[in-house]
Amino acid sequence: GDPTLQFSSSTYSVDEGGSSVTVTVTLFPPYEASSGTRVYVDVATADDTAVAGADYTTTTRTPLRFDPGQTEKNISIPNE
């Protein structure tokens, strides 16, 4: 079947005054390096208990690209 995206955690937190939080995204299973297949994923932050502009800096990374054989990408979300 097609690969799925998994996050290293279901929740993320950073202390007030902390600089950022890093979210790790894993592609599982990855496409073999010899396949030539790339995976593109649109990524954006959304408010919940933290609010953009007050608690964190909005992050839009379009697209997040997994090259053939790559399994992980990190997204850094700056804290306000």
Side-chain angles (χ1 to χ4, degrees):
D2 290 331
T4 60
L5 295 172
Q6 300 171 344
F7 295 90
S8 55
S9 177
S10 60
T11 60
Y12 296 87
S13 63
V14 63
D15 292 333
E16 291 291 330
S19 61
S20 66
V21 63
T22 299
V23 176
T24 301
V25 182
T26 303
L27 180 69
F28 183 80
Y31 283 106
E32 295 295 324
S34 62
S35 73
T37 302
R38 288 189 174 104
V39 175
Y40 295 89
V41 180
D42 291 335
V43 176
T45 53
D47 292 348
D48 191 28
T49 57
V51 177
D55 299 311
Y56 70 93
T57 301
T58 299
T59 300
T60 302
R61 187 173 178 175
T62 306
L64 183 63
R65 184 178 92 184
F66 289 87
D67 288 324
Q70 284 189 314
T71 58
E72 287 187 352
K73 291 288 187 171
N74 291 317
I75 304 165
S76 180
I77 302 170
N79 189 26
E80 289 286 319

